Amino acid sequence: MTWEDRVSVLPSSARRSAVRPSRLATAVATIGIAVALGTTGCGAGQVSQTANQLPAVNGANVNIDALQLRDVQILYPEKDAPTVFGNGGPFEVAFVIANSDQVDSYRLKSIKPEKGTIEFTEGADAEARVIAPGQALRGGTPVGAAPAEQKITAELTDAGKTVAAGLTTKLTFAFEKKENGKWVDAGEVTVVTPVDAGAKLARQDVPRNAEPTFYNQ
């Protein structure tokens, strides 16, 4: 007598008991495969998303004609930051301006803040702010700035409450372009500029809720 014949002569409850383990095993195997596939798919998706993510950049990026402004930001004061913020400056403005034009030179004419003034304490001479074809000009020390780049220093004062740590303020960059041996207006661009928030908060090694409470007893 075959196994099927033996099952057929059993009572209905016994037949259900005999068949149930087989169905249960199949269901468990199916769920296991689904979980494995789901986990693999999720992991693959995460790798793909990570591969396409761009690195974080501190400053703002803006283009105007052949000029690319990169990592524009207001640096956190190195000394006595609370007083500096309270006085509305002085703050150092950091940026990199690259000229992708292979023929014409540009010149940084001025930087105008929402309130106060920005002066070039290093690079006060207009010729020091010329950006030759294929070259770059940088102010301050933004992340990724190459040491060989031409450098100037731009200082913001009397900014009032328009500059606050971790927030943004508007700076307008004005440029000139050299055409036929003369400097002509090349337009301006307003950059929503982030203000460096400073160093991260100090780590606190003292455990919280050290005293017994209803939740940690």
Side-chain angles (χ1 to χ4, degrees):
M1 179 180 293
T2 65
W3 183 85
E4 290 82 0
D5 294 334
R6 295 192 192 97
V7 172
S8 63
V9 299
L10 293 173
S12 59
S13 59
R15 287 200 301 270
R16 286 197 298 270
S17 300
V19 175
R20 187 180 297 116
S22 177
R23 291 178 179 176
L24 180 59
T26 302
V28 170
T30 302
I31 293 173
I33 293 172
V35 170
L37 291 176
T39 303
T40 303
C42 180
Q46 290 176 352
V47 172
S48 176
Q49 291 171 3
T50 303
N52 293 329
Q53 287 179 351
L54 296 176
V57 178
N58 290 332
N61 302 325
V62 177
N63 297 339
I64 174 173
D65 293 334
L67 300 176
Q68 292 88 43
L69 284 72
R70 295 293 181 265
D71 206 10
V72 182
Q73 59 182 297
I74 294 178
L75 300 180
Y76 194 83
E78 293 183 359
K79 298 180 180 179
D80 200 9
T83 300
V84 174
F85 279 105
N87 294 336
F91 301 101
E92 186 175 5
V93 182
F95 54 84
V96 173
I97 306 175
N99 179 9
S100 63
D101 197 306
Q102 298 303 311
V103 178
D104 296 321
S105 294
Y106 286 81
R107 182 166 67 186
L108 175 60
K109 181 180 180 181
S110 64
I111 306 175
K112 295 175 287 187
E114 289 185 54
K115 182 179 179 180
T117 58
I118 291 180
E119 295 183 354
F120 300 109
T121 57
E122 180 182 349
D125 186 355
E127 292 306 310
R129 303 193 301 274
V130 174
I131 314 170
Q135 299 300 311
L137 172 71
R138 72 180 174 96
T141 52
V143 176
E149 289 176 321
Q150 182 180 350
K151 180 184 176 182
I152 64 173
T153 301
E155 188 176 83
L156 168 60
T157 56
D158 300 324
K161 301 299 182 182
T162 62
V163 175
L167 301 182
T168 60
T169 188
K170 293 181 180 179
L171 301 180
T172 301
F173 289 72
F175 296 94
E176 296 174 311
K177 182 179 181 179
K178 199 167 190 177
E179 293 183 353
N180 301 321
K182 296 181 179 179
W183 289 103
V184 298
D185 181 66
E188 60 183 32
V189 60
T190 298
V191 183
V192 179
T193 305
V195 181
D196 192 347
K200 295 181 179 179
L201 294 177
R203 175 180 174 182
Q204 299 199 9
D205 292 323
V206 179
R208 298 181 179 180
N209 292 332
E211 296 297 327
T213 66
F214 174 81
Y215 296 100
N216 64 12
Q217 283 181 344

